[in-house]
Amino acid sequence: MYNLVVDSGCDVSKEVIDSEKCKLTHVPLNLQVGDKVYIDDENLNLDEYLAHMESTSIAVKTSAPSPNLFLEQFKNGDNVFVVTLSSKLSATYQSAVSAKDMYIEEYGAKFIHIFDSLTAAIGEGVIAMKIAELAKKDLAPTEIVDAVNQYMKEMKTYFILDKFDNLVKTGRVSPYVAKVASFLNVKPICCDMDGEIKMIDKSRGYTKAATKLIQIIKENTPDIENRVIGITHVKAYEKALALKEELSAALRAKDIIIQECRGITTTYANRGGVIVAL
């Protein structure tokens, strides 16, 4: 049994991952709106959190899990894989590295491999799905690491968001992107590049942006028939479903799944945001 540990930036559910070979655990980040702190775990009421976030002009604060939260999870399983938010977006990766050092110092050697996803949201999710897929093939842990590292070199995460307020306020995206999005019905199309979020194109209206995104994916994704496409959304299931249908018609992907954003992605993607990774 592999213990697959992810932070709550990973927008994929246990139902997608858990098997006799692999068990998924989310380590929660903290979300703060004013004086109220939310824990981004399975008990988070997303509707309540989103309403609170939308009702205030105060910038939402987020913080990485402590190393101790990772350390507790590292005690489970003979082999541990970890997938974290991009180290350029969050201190979560460093917390996981510190926890590994703590574990080895206290308990001795154990296979613990930490992947800096260099992405977020469903981007972390498709990496987790790749690990679970390879685990079912009974590959050695080091073989899984090599295969996942190669997969990560070729994968991309794309964003079409209605608002960029929290991303800009926290310095995670250029103010220029928010300025573009403020124009009448213009939708920036963004992508993770070297662990950071960059605008790669734009269209007037979500429908045109989605069509352009599909073309970008088609032109820039090798081996598409062997890839799972992940779609995640913030209270925008109809958008996500329509995008899935359009992707299915345009591409021959291995599979396409839809997941709802967890708290940390909701914070930055905002209501109506749609994210695609493959």
Side-chain angles (χ1 to χ4, degrees):
M1 171 72 74
Y2 288 100
N3 183 17
L4 177 50
V5 180
V6 298
D7 56 53
S8 62
C10 180
D11 291 330
V12 70
S13 64
K14 291 183 178 182
E15 290 75 18
V16 173
I17 299 293
D18 281 2
S19 69
E20 62 178 15
K21 298 288 187 180
C22 200
K23 185 166 181 62
L24 183 73
T25 303
H26 285 88
V27 174
L29 280 84
N30 297 317
L31 319 169
Q32 184 172 352
V33 184
D35 294 329
K36 184 165 184 178
V37 176
Y38 296 85
I39 308 300
D40 190 14
D41 61 14
E42 63 276 3
N43 297 314
L44 177 66
N45 184 320
L46 270 175
D47 290 316
E48 176 187 328
Y49 170 67
L50 186 57
H52 189 182
M53 187 176 76
E54 291 174 334
S55 69
T56 179
S57 59
I58 300 172
V60 178
K61 298 177 181 179
T62 61
S63 57
S66 71
N68 283 330
L69 288 178
F70 280 106
L71 178 62
E72 286 303 306
Q73 298 304 325
F74 292 175
K75 296 175 184 178
N76 302 320
D78 296 327
N79 300 290
V80 181
F81 290 108
V82 189
V83 183
T84 74
L85 282 159
S86 170
S87 60
K88 296 184 179 181
L89 299 174
S90 170
T92 304
Y93 173 74
Q94 191 53 54
S95 286
V97 170
S98 296
K100 178 180 177 179
D101 293 340
M102 291 162 61
Y103 182 93
I104 292 172
E105 182 177 350
E106 186 169 351
Y107 300 103
K110 179 177 184 177
F111 181 88
I112 302 173
H113 185 84
I114 303 167
F115 293 99
D116 177 357
S117 73
L118 294 178
T119 186
I122 195 62
E124 284 185 77
V126 295
I127 294 171
M129 285 188 281
K130 189 66 176 180
I131 294 170
E133 174 192 322
L134 295 169
K136 291 178 182 178
K137 297 180 179 180
D138 291 324
L139 297 180
T142 53
E143 291 178 303
I144 293 176
V145 170
D146 290 342
V148 173
N149 280 335
Q150 182 59 40
Y151 174 77
M152 288 170 57
K153 288 178 182 178
E154 299 172 347
M155 66 165 287
K156 291 290 184 184
T157 305
Y158 300 94
F159 308 78
I160 302 179
L161 311 182
D162 289 343
K163 295 174 64 178
F164 289 81
D165 300 26
N166 288 332
L167 282 169
V168 171
K169 288 176 183 176
T170 54
R172 288 174 170 85
V173 75
S174 164
Y176 172 72
V177 178
K179 185 176 181 180
V180 169
S182 69
F183 297 148
L184 183 62
N185 207 26
V186 171
K187 300 295 181 187
I189 301 170
C190 296
C191 179
D192 61 347
M193 301 179 70
D194 298 320
E196 298 180 296
I197 300 170
K198 306 287 187 181
M199 186 175 76
I200 57 171
D201 213 324
K202 59 184 182 293
S203 283
R204 189 168 295 280
Y206 173 81
T207 301
K208 290 183 179 179
T211 299
K212 186 171 285 187
L213 173 59
I214 292 168
Q215 188 61 35
I216 290 170
I217 291 173
K218 190 173 184 179
E219 293 174 355
N220 293 278
T221 308
D223 201 25
I224 188 76
E225 66 274 8
N226 293 317
R227 290 179 173 271
V228 174
I229 300 177
I231 303 173
T232 192
H233 64 93
V234 182
K235 304 299 178 184
Y237 178 74
E238 293 302 324
K239 273 187 183 178
L241 182 60
L243 183 58
K244 176 181 178 177
E245 292 171 351
E246 291 171 22
L247 284 165
S248 296
L251 308 172
R252 294 185 177 181
K254 184 177 180 180
D255 194 12
I256 304 176
I257 69 160
I258 297 176
Q259 301 276 277
E260 187 171 15
C261 291
R262 296 173 68 91
I264 188 70
T265 308
T266 295
T267 302
Y268 296 110
N270 291 286
R271 189 184 299 274
V274 176
I275 304 167
V276 180
L278 70 163

